[in-house]
């Protein structure tokens, strides 16, 4: 039996006393692609950081070809022939591909750059990938996929004594289109055939099925399963990743569910992100690069007063884009939206707010909070106009209103003047929710919540669910976007499943089983 | 030294300091708002010169036109003040549209405007001072009401209104929100472009007012007035604790900053400190103020 | 319109923006041999080309008085600026004298920019002018450019500011020290030889320092008088106003201010007027006798006198010196143009 190119045994990592990885073992073999899957916070990133030398494990060992190794810094790992491609690419935008490929290790003689050797090394690396990239163009003018190629070429050109042996990719296709994804996979297959060991971390289970040889599943920092990809088809991976027994536990009996009037009727909605970099991005609410956004190809659904509808799907299926297009934060290219019987075509989120549609974005820090401002300022942001007369804010009412909602949502904060960044994730999320609940004019008729409990502790999670249920009970239509199937099952009256920019199915009542959802999420 | 201290702390000298920071103070109110949105305005010095020159020319034009018709003496004054405000506001619209609509960097837009407005000031005035302004207009700079010079009253009013707008009104809150997190403000339904544009226009009006006040004080519009004011104003704002990244700060801080720098200048002048050395001292004080702020923040997080 | 001639002599090269057709962008076959041609496709390049074009075309646009004679001398002139009265008058003097003698002028302005002025002189050398008149932007820095002209056998005359560390045919200038002394003498007489005075200076310039120092030296010869403050007014009105405010506040006993130019003097006048100082109790002496200052003097304000330079004379005598040089007559290497005092009685 051949030795693993890189083997990690019984790895344990703690952050500030909290266990992030517990006794995880993984082996990467030369000439094989090894998929790493798990939910957010399952410990994937931590494991990759350990393998790439960015974090020393608190317990456990690393070995290359059977010999024990220790990495103190990423540089140690580089020298041993291990490279990691981060989600956020680490290229210098104004530098050409050539300059980026040799960055930090420029061939030189007596401090003078050796242009010919530089050139040769860059060409060799790009040729090795079979990519067609203009070596002289500043990388900021390349597409994201091309930049990623440059990043991989940089790894290949690494001047390690033994050459590159292990390549680690963190969500490499999160920012790529389907076409670009295929191209990347073709390259990875070539690299595999040359004996490279590749660790491939992705949320997209369909990709893993096509590409990987082995798979390892992590959950809550622990190894919960793995083997060859044939033993673990995608439909079996989802229950493993989620862990808890997934079953529908309705929060109210179907009898209690009084079908309200139709609030929102979405008919064949489609979007196309502006082609970067030609057009300057507007405020980018999701924080994601515009080119990385998935086009919504076709989305049709109905939202009624008093129901909670879940929009589920794999990352990159286009769920957030549906929400952004609905509120006018992203251009709509086709389709109609009817709000309470009237056509609705918002030009900016402002129009949506005026129509009584609220939106809680997925990335709180980047798109929802003004982190250095107080709980009060963040809570009353939307409702401020209603708290003012002739433009002058009624401060007593503002404070009273804030106190009222801080109590109602049980937001734990030393005072309403505390900067919101000092609150825990759960309390921050409650502040963002409160912002929309405070708004009384016009009354909130639709609330769209993208990932309601990301980065939220368990206790606050339940309270946020309660808040959303109360909201529905009071006849607001709630649309939840979530990657957490347990959450979707526990919270929603209906589930809409998205795949590759389309709503491919709707599950109600007894149909809402993990198996049905998983089979719709992943193309068969 | 005690004689010096006496000279410094006399009521007369305090008014003197207040008078000497009047123009920088008025500009500081607008600059604070602009910087709170995450922007900057480098053109204020040139804007002061241009609005002063246009105000003086307008006063002359109305005066000579009215001389034939037997005029009320108030007309040239109104024309001059109106012209100054209009020029300032026009500069604000230019910057605001470029920054808010076209999303051009404020630094570059106002750097261009700095050059354009200075050039226009020289062009319109043929490089010469425009003097012989109506007495009513000069009252804006030289008049005294209840023992306090008019520019000091105007500056106090600007700070008062500026503080109220920023601290107590929806518009003020939105200015902070745009500077604190533009994406969040936009998603919360705030008209971020409108807020930014409005802020630059308000700043422009204050530039026009400052130009009128300075011109009235000098009794003449000089095209090379206001050279380097942008740096003095930004220094006052920054020393006053407003973050250049936006979303954090207040006009009261700016008032403290302007008073601090104005007082320092005045004290150094009273003490007859070598002019070369004065510049060094002022620079060091700005540096200390900014570094102190940094350290205070680091200590907290 | 001001003419920028810096690029006048250069050939205008229109960059080949299409060296790489856009369709091939991203392919590396053609790209390898290409050395960043795309940089030339930048819109900026077009702007630069356009500016160079304008510069080249306008190069011949500003030639003043000319005559048809075959032996016409061409004189290149680079002023310090065209935005001040002083240099406008100096320019007028040069033009008049040149017109009388039938010289053709190439007029430019350094606009306080040393590099620009050096380029202008180098341009004159390339154009083979017969002589150069320069009002140096910087007395030290202009030397090498003058040396290059001299090496090309082109005579150079400096007007106003002197050039240091180089050789000119003649240096024509007002006597700034004499001016400072004259101002002090007037101040002493006006105050009855006693009292405290202050100076609003501009220590960044040599002329400012000369005037200030001569004034202070002369006052020092009068035991009952004292210079109690010397502040920097930067030579501009609003800064001078602030300096004067501080002086008047700190020294209530002050009886007079000497300002090293009229912008500073008018700033001081505004400060004095605001404080109720009139001609009866206060004396300001300015420098340059600009029309605005003269008007203030005639209206019996506290600005009572000015030291007047004679920029027209400086201009005329610069041309005269060149004429003497052309005729192989002896030329004085330093030509001092006298200054005089202007007060309310001066006609």
């Amino acid at each position: 039996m051949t030795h693993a190119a890189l083997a990690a045994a019984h790895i344990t990592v703690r952050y500030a006393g909290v266990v992030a990885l517990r006794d995880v073992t993984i082996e990467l073999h030369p000439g094989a692609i090894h998929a790493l899957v798990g939910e957010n916070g399952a410990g994937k990133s931590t494991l990759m950081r350990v393998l790439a030398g960015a974090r020393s494990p608190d317990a456990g060992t690393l070995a290359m070809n059977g010999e024990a190794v220790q990495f103190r810094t990423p540089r140690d790992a580089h020298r041993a022939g291990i490279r990691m491609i981060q989600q956020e690419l680490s290229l210098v935008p104004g530098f050409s591909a050539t300059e980026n490929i040799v960055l930090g290790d420029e061939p030189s003689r007596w401090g003078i750059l050796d242009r010919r050797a530089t050139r040769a090394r860059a060409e060799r690396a790009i040729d090795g990938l079979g990519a067609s990239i203009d070596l002289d163009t500043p990388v900021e003018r390349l597409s994201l996929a091309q930049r990623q190629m440059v990043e991989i070429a940089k790894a290949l050109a690494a001047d390690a004594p033994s050459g590159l042996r292990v390549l680690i990719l963190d969500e490499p296709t999160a920012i790529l289109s389907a076409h670009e994804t295929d191209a990347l996979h073709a390259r990875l297959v070539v690299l595999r055939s040359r004996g490279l060991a590749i660790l491939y971390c992705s949320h997209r289970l369909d990709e893993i099925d096509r590409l990987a040889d082995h798979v390892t599943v992590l959950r809550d920092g622990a190894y919960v399963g793995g083997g060859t990809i044939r033993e673990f088809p995608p439909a079996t991976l989802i229950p493993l990743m989620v862990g808890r027994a997934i079953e529908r536990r309705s929060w109210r009996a179907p009898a209690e569910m009084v079908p309200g009037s139709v609030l929102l009727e979405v008919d064949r909605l489609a979007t196309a992100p502006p082609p970067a970099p030609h057009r300057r991005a507007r405020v980018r609410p999701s924080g994601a690069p515009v080119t990385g956004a998935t086009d919504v190809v076709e989305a049709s659904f109905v939202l009624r007063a008093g129901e909670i509808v879940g929009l589920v799907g794999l990352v990159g299926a286009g769920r957030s884009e549906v929400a952004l297009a609905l509120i006018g934060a992203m251009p709509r290219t086709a389709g109609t939206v009817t709000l309470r019987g009237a056509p609705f075509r918002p030009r900016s989120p402002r129009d949506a707010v005026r129509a009584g549609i609220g939106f809680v974005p997925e990335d709180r820090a980047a798109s929802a909070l003004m982190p250095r401002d107080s709980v009060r300022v963040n809570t009353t942001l939307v409702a401020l106009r209603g708290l003012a007369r002739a433009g002058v804010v009624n401060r007593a009412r503002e404070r009273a209103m804030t106190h009222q909602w801080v109590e109602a949502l049980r937001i734990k904060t030393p005072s309403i003047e505390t900067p919101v960044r000092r609150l825990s994730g759960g309390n921050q999320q409650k502040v963002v929710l409160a912002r929309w609940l405070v708004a009384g004019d016009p009354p909130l008729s639709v609330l769209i919540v993208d990932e309601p409990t990301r980065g939220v502790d368990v206790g606050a999670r339940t309270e946020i669910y309660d808040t959303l249920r109360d909201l529905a009970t009071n006849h607001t239509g709630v649309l939840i976007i979530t990657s957490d199937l347990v959450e979707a099952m526990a919270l929603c009256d209906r589930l809409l499943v998205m795949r590759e920019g389309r709503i491919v199915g709707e599950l109600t009542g007894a149909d809402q089983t993990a198996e049905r959802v998983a089979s719709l999420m992943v193309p068969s | 030294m005690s004689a010096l201290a006496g000279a410094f702390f006399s009521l007369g000298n305090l008014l003197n300091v207040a008078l000497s920071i009047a123009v920088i103070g008025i500009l500081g109110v607008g600059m604070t708002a602009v910087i709170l949105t995450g922007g900057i305005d480098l053109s204020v010095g040139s804007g002061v010169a241009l609005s002063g020159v246009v105000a003086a020319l307008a006063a002359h034009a109305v005066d000579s036109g009215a001389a034939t018709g037997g005029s009320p003496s108030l007309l040239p004054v109104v024309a001059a003040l109106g012209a100054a405000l209009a020029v300032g506001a026009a500069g604000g619209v230019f910057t605001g549209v470029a920054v808010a609509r076209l999303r051009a960097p404020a630094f570059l837009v106002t750097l261009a405007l700095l050059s354009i407005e200075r050039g226009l000031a020289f062009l319109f005035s043929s490089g010469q001072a425009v003097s012989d302004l109506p007495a009513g207009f000069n009252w804006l700079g030289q008049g005294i009401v209840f023992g306090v010079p008019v520019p000091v009253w105007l500056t106090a009013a600007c700070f008062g209104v500026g503080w109220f707008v920023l601290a107590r009104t929806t518009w003020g809150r939105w200015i902070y929100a745009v500077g604190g997190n533009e994406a969040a403000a936009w998603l919360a339904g705030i008209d971020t472009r409108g807020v930014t544009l409005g802020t630059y226009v308000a700043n422009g009006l204050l530039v026009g007012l400052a130009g009128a006040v300075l011109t009235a004080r000098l009794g003449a519009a000089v095209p090379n007035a206001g050279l380097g004011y942008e740096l003095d104003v930004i220094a006052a704002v920054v020393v006053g604790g407003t973050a250049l990244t936006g979303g954090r700060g207040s006009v009261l801080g700016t008032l403290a900053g302007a008073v601090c720098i104005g007082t320092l200048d005045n004290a150094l002048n009273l003490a007859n400190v070598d002019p070369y050395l004065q510049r060094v001292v002022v620079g060091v004080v700005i540096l200390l103020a900014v570094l102190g702020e940094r350290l205070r923040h680091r200590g907290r997080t | 319109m001001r003419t920028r001639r810096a690029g006048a002599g250069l050939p205008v090269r229109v960059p080949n923006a299409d060296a790489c057709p856009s369709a091939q962008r991203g392919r590396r076959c053609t790209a390898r041999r290409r050395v960043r041609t795309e940089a030339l496709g930048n819109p900026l390049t077009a702007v630069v080309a356009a500016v160079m074009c304008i510069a080249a075309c306008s190069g011949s646009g500003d030639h003043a008085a000319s005559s048809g004679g075959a032996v016409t001398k061409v004189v290149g002139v680079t002023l310090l600026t065209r935005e001040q009265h002083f240099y406008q008058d100096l320019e007028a003097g040069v033009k008049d004298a040149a017109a009388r003698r039938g010289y053709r002028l190439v007029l430019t302005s350094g606009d306080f920019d040393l590099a620009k002025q050096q380029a202008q002189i180098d341009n004159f050398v390339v154009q083979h002018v017969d002589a150069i008149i320069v009002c140096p932007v910087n007395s030290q820095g202009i030397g090498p450019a003058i040396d290059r002209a001299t090496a090309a056998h082109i005579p150079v005359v400096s007007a106003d500011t002197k050039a240091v560390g180089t050789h000119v045919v003649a240096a024509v200038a007002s006597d700034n020290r004499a001016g400072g002394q004259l101002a002090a003498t007037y101040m002493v007489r006006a105050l009855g030889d006693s009292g405290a005075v202050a100076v609003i200076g501009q220590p960044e310039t040599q002329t400012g320092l000369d005037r200030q120092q001569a004034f202070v030296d002369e006052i020092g010869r009068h035991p009952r008088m004292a210079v109690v403050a010397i502040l920097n007014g930067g030579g501009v009105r609003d800064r001078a106003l602030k300096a004067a405010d501080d002086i008047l506040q700190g020294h209530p006993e002050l009886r007079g201010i000497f300002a090293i130019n009229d912008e500073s003097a008018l700033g001081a006048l505004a400060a004095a007027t605001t404080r109720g100082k009139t001609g009866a109790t206060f004396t300001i002496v300015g420098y340059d006798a600009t029309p605005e200052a003269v008007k203030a003097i005639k209206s019996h304000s506290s600005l009572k006198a000015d030291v007047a330079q004679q920029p027209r004379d400086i201009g005329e005598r610069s041309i005269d010196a060149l004429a003497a040089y052309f005729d192989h007559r002896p030329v004085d290497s330093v030509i001092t143009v006298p200054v005089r005092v202007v007060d309310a009685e001066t006609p």
Side-chain angles (χ1 to χ4, degrees):
Chain A
M1 148 124 200
T2 56
H3 282 298
L6 177 62
H10 308 295
I11 300 290
T12 296
V13 173
R14 291 183 202 93
Y15 286 115
V18 180
V19 176
L21 271 186
R22 186 186 298 118
D23 195 28
V24 172
T25 296
I26 189 170
E27 289 190 353
L28 308 182
H29 290 278
I33 296 178
H34 196 123
L36 182 62
V37 300
E39 293 193 286
N40 287 315
K44 297 178 305 224
S45 300
T46 308
L47 180 59
M48 284 186 285
R49 286 166 57 81
V50 168
L51 295 177
R55 175 75 163 92
S56 308
D58 295 306
T61 55
L62 292 177
M64 293 188 75
N65 294 326
E67 287 173 35
V69 287
Q70 264 192 329
F71 305 135
R72 239 166 260 114
T73 64
R75 220 180 151 73
D76 293 345
H78 287 183
R79 275 196 220 107
I82 302 172
R83 287 275 180 158
M84 174 159 165
I85 311 294
Q86 308 268 6
Q87 231 171 324
E88 276 115 33
L89 303 181
S90 55
L91 300 174
V92 182
F95 277 19
S96 69
T98 309
E99 288 159 339
N100 268 297
I101 287 170
V102 299
L103 186 69
D105 188 27
E106 290 84 354
S108 63
R109 210 172 294 164
W110 300 307
I112 298 163
L113 292 175
D114 182 341
R115 295 171 60 92
R116 194 170 298 169
T118 302
R119 189 82 191 179
R121 197 196 296 175
E123 280 175 7
R124 209 164 45 234
I126 288 284
D127 285 342
L129 273 175
S132 62
I133 285 169
D134 183 344
L135 285 170
D136 295 314
T137 308
V139 295
E140 64 195 346
R141 287 208 245 149
L142 299 177
S143 74
L144 281 166
Q146 287 176 317
R147 287 185 223 178
Q148 198 172 44
M149 281 302 143
V150 173
E151 188 95 24
I152 295 174
K154 188 174 154 188
L156 288 176
D159 218 4
S162 50
L164 187 69
R165 294 198 289 179
V166 177
L167 184 63
I168 301 171
L169 299 121
D170 184 7
E171 294 280 355
T173 54
I175 54 171
L176 301 185
S177 69
H179 180 70
E180 291 168 332
T181 300
D182 289 345
L184 172 70
H185 288 173
R187 303 275 142 61
L188 294 180
V189 168
V190 172
L191 292 177
R192 167 171 66 185
S193 70
R194 284 207 239 125
L196 212 59
I198 299 174
L199 182 66
Y200 187 94
C201 172
S202 176
H203 271 100
R204 302 189 175 178
L205 299 181
D206 54 324
E207 288 178 12
I208 287 166
D209 192 36
R210 288 201 299 269
L211 185 69
D213 305 297
H214 308 280
V215 62
T216 289
V217 186
L218 296 183
R219 184 175 76 230
D220 299 331
Y223 171 90
V224 291
T228 65
I229 202 74
R230 226 169 276 156
E231 298 170 273
F232 289 92
T236 63
L237 289 175
I238 291 175
L240 265 180
M241 286 161 62
V242 175
R244 291 153 283 184
I246 302 180
E247 58 187 56
R248 166 136 178 89
R249 278 176 315 206
S250 178
W251 61 282
R252 57 184 165 196
E256 285 176 51
M257 172 69 206
V258 186
S261 56
V262 172
L263 288 175
L264 199 61
E265 197 175 349
V266 180
D267 186 24
R268 279 165 297 179
L269 177 80
T271 68
H278 304 293
R279 204 186 305 167
R280 218 184 146 82
R282 301 203 288 173
V283 181
R284 283 189 278 104
S286 64
V290 171
T291 33
T294 315
D295 297 5
V296 176
V297 181
E298 187 178 349
S300 302
F301 65 95
V302 165
L303 182 67
R304 290 188 180 78
E307 66 174 351
I308 303 180
V309 173
L311 188 55
V312 297
L314 297 173
V315 169
R319 299 166 303 168
S320 298
E321 288 75 9
V322 169
L324 293 173
L326 270 181
I327 63 160
M330 188 178 256
R332 200 198 287 173
T333 52
T336 55
V337 176
T338 314
L339 180 69
R340 290 188 299 270
F344 179 59
R345 206 176 169 85
R347 278 157 307 161
S348 79
R350 201 166 169 223
D351 293 336
V353 172
R354 286 179 167 176
I357 300 181
F359 174 61
V360 175
E362 144 187 52
D363 184 345
R364 269 192 301 282
S367 316
L369 294 172
M370 290 164 298
R372 291 183 300 182
D373 280 308
S374 66
V375 171
R376 170 178 55 86
V377 165
N378 275 286
T379 303
T380 58
L381 188 67
V382 174
L384 199 66
R385 201 192 289 271
L387 294 171
R389 182 181 288 183
V392 181
V393 178
N394 182 333
R395 309 218 311 153
R397 270 187 66 198
E398 189 192 3
R399 275 192 296 259
M401 198 66 99
T402 310
H403 277 300
Q404 181 191 330
W405 284 99
V406 162
E407 261 168 53
L409 297 190
R410 289 198 281 277
I411 298 173
K412 291 184 195 70
T413 173
S415 111
I416 59 168
E417 300 301 330
T418 305
V420 75
R421 66 174 166 181
R422 299 217 202 135
L423 271 51
S424 71
N427 286 304
Q428 290 184 350
Q429 184 73 326
K430 287 183 192 172
V431 168
V432 181
L433 280 173
R435 171 185 297 174
W436 294 105
L437 304 181
V438 176
D441 179 37
L444 188 68
S445 63
V446 174
L447 183 65
I448 305 173
V449 189
D450 197 351
E451 300 291 357
T453 57
R454 175 168 293 179
V456 170
D457 50 291
V458 181
R461 200 173 279 209
T462 321
E463 289 172 345
I464 286 172
Y465 293 159
D466 287 343
T467 304
L468 293 174
R469 285 166 186 150
D470 286 348
L471 207 54
T473 311
N474 289 316
H475 310 297
T476 300
V478 181
L479 182 66
I480 302 286
I481 296 168
T482 179
S483 305
D484 183 342
L485 273 188
V486 178
E487 177 169 285
M489 299 284 191
L491 198 55
C492 302
D493 302 304
R494 283 189 291 138
L495 291 183
L496 304 166
V497 185
M498 270 197 99
R499 186 176 74 219
E500 290 166 354
R502 294 170 194 275
I503 292 188
V504 292
E506 179 177 341
L507 301 174
T508 49
D511 271 356
Q512 295 185 54
T513 63
E515 290 69 31
R516 286 298 306 275
V517 174
S519 67
L520 281 170
M521 273 160 64
V522 183
S524 46
Chain B
M1 199 63 205
S2 66
L4 187 64
F8 179 78
F9 284 111
S10 69
L11 179 65
N13 191 49
L14 294 183
L15 281 181
N16 177 42
V17 172
L19 188 59
S20 70
I21 63 170
V23 172
I24 297 295
I26 293 171
L27 294 172
V29 174
M31 185 71 83
T32 306
V34 165
I35 289 179
L36 280 176
T37 66
I40 192 89
D41 187 353
L42 299 180
S43 72
V44 292
S46 301
V48 162
L50 180 61
S51 53
V53 164
V54 173
L57 293 175
H60 279 293
V62 172
D63 222 10
S64 61
T68 52
S71 67
S73 64
L74 201 61
L75 191 60
V77 180
V78 173
L81 187 58
L85 296 177
V87 167
V93 169
F94 174 87
T95 311
V97 168
V99 173
R101 296 247 151 218
L102 311 178
R103 302 202 74 79
F107 188 94
L108 298 183
V109 173
T110 57
L111 189 64
L113 195 61
L114 175 151
S115 184
I116 291 168
E117 289 188 326
R118 180 68 64 192
L120 289 177
F122 273 104
L123 271 180
F124 291 167
S125 66
S126 317
Q128 303 304 325
V130 187
S131 53
D132 292 326
L133 302 176
F137 181 75
N138 284 347
W139 177 83
L140 280 179
Q142 299 170 13
I144 290 179
V145 174
F146 302 128
V148 174
V150 173
V152 177
W153 285 116
L154 288 172
T155 309
C158 287
F159 272 104
V161 172
W163 170 81
F164 184 80
V165 169
L166 284 175
R168 291 290 156 90
T169 68
T170 51
W171 192 46
R173 184 73 59 82
W174 293 336
I175 287 176
Y176 280 95
V178 168
N181 186 342
E182 190 178 356
W186 187 60
L187 286 176
I190 291 169
D191 179 6
T192 50
R193 287 174 172 189
V195 169
T196 308
L197 176 63
T199 305
Y200 278 102
V201 173
N203 175 55
L205 285 169
L206 288 166
V207 169
L209 179 64
V213 169
L214 181 63
T215 303
R217 264 222 83 193
L218 291 168
V222 243
N224 63 4
L227 277 175
Y229 277 21
E230 56 280 353
L231 299 182
D232 294 349
V233 174
I234 292 169
V237 172
V238 172
V239 168
T242 296
L244 279 180
T245 44
R248 205 103 210 105
S250 77
V251 289
L252 296 183
T254 300
L255 178 59
V259 168
C260 168
I261 293 176
T263 308
L264 186 68
D265 269 347
N266 174 259
L268 292 173
N269 273 349
L270 288 188
N272 217 359
V273 172
D274 183 296
Y276 297 139
L277 188 58
Q278 286 197 11
R279 293 186 172 196
V280 177
V281 173
V282 171
V284 168
V285 167
I286 293 173
L287 201 60
L288 288 179
V290 173
L291 288 180
E293 184 75 2
R294 281 255 142 209
L295 292 178
R296 202 164 61 86
H297 273 290
R298 185 131 46 112
R300 211 189 293 156
T301 48
Chain C
M1 185 194 135
R2 232 190 294 140
T3 317
R4 296 189 179 272
R5 316 192 72 259
L10 298 173
V12 174
R13 196 162 54 109
V14 178
N16 184 1
D18 269 337
C20 168
S22 58
Q24 295 193 339
R25 235 168 248 170
R27 270 189 226 157
R28 112 186 184 282
C29 46
T30 54
R32 276 189 187 169
R33 262 159 270 125
R34 206 176 68 205
V35 187
R36 299 187 182 236
T37 26
E38 276 191 302
L40 296 175
N42 193 312
L44 191 63
T45 323
V47 175
V48 171
V51 169
M52 286 164 83
C53 225
I54 292 167
C57 299
S58 61
S60 56
D62 207 14
H63 292 169
S66 68
S67 73
V71 288
T72 298
K73 297 285 186 188
V74 178
V75 180
V77 182
T78 165
L79 299 165
L80 177 59
T81 171
R82 282 178 156 170
E83 288 167 356
Q84 290 178 6
H85 257 293
F86 181 88
Y87 291 97
Q88 288 162 353
D89 285 350
L90 192 151
E91 182 181 343
V94 169
K95 276 184 178 166
D96 283 358
R100 274 201 300 276
R101 296 179 186 274
Y103 295 168
R104 200 160 66 82
L105 296 178
V106 184
L107 282 163
T108 64
S109 164
D111 295 328
F112 297 101
D113 180 346
L114 179 62
K116 188 171 172 184
Q117 188 163 56
Q118 286 172 336
Q120 286 164 345
I121 292 177
D122 291 342
N123 242 347
F124 290 149
V125 172
V126 173
Q127 293 171 11
H128 296 295
V129 298
D130 297 295
I132 296 172
I133 296 175
V134 54
C135 307
V137 165
N138 179 304
S139 41
Q140 260 92 35
I142 202 63
I146 294 179
D147 286 343
R148 286 195 289 275
T150 309
H153 305 291
I154 300 176
V156 179
V157 167
S158 73
D160 188 36
T161 308
K162 291 190 176 76
V164 176
T166 181
H167 174 77
V168 291
V169 171
V172 186
S174 298
D175 191 337
N176 284 308
R177 289 198 58 91
Q181 196 178 3
L182 217 52
T185 309
Y186 184 93
M187 186 72 87
V188 168
R189 193 151 38 85
L191 302 188
D193 202 7
S194 86
V197 295
V199 179
I200 296 181
Q202 188 185 8
E204 290 93 348
T205 64
Q206 191 57 46
T207 45
L209 281 174
D210 283 348
R211 293 167 190 179
Q212 169 182 319
Q213 202 49 52
F215 179 88
V216 172
D217 289 350
E218 180 61 27
I219 294 292
R221 283 194 260 285
H222 297 265
R224 292 164 60 214
M225 292 195 71
V227 176
V228 294
I230 302 175
L231 293 189
N232 183 4
V236 294
R237 204 177 296 196
D238 48 349
R239 297 266 173 201
L241 170 80
K242 190 183 151 5
D245 271 342
D246 285 346
I247 294 174
L248 291 168
Q249 184 62 39
H251 303 278
E253 79 286 3
L254 200 74
R255 297 185 58 207
I257 288 177
F258 168 55
I260 56 82
N261 70 3
D262 271 341
E263 282 298 306
S264 308
L266 289 163
L269 176 60
T273 310
T274 311
R275 284 161 187 274
K277 306 258 186 205
T278 64
T281 57
F282 204 72
T283 302
I284 299 170
V285 179
Y287 209 113
D288 287 344
T290 60
E292 201 184 351
V294 170
K295 201 169 158 200
I297 291 170
K298 301 283 182 202
S299 67
H300 299 283
S301 66
S302 56
L303 176 56
K304 288 200 187 119
D306 245 45
V307 177
Q309 300 192 71
Q310 310 198 47
R312 276 192 85 90
D313 283 5
I314 296 177
E316 287 182 13
R317 297 185 67 176
S318 300
I319 292 286
D320 291 347
L322 285 176
Y325 178 87
F326 291 145
D327 296 347
H328 306 289
R329 284 183 276 129
V331 183
D332 290 334
S333 64
V334 175
I335 299 170
T336 305
V337 178
V339 292
R340 63 201 168 88
V341 166
V342 175
D343 62 11
E345 276 70 51
T346 310

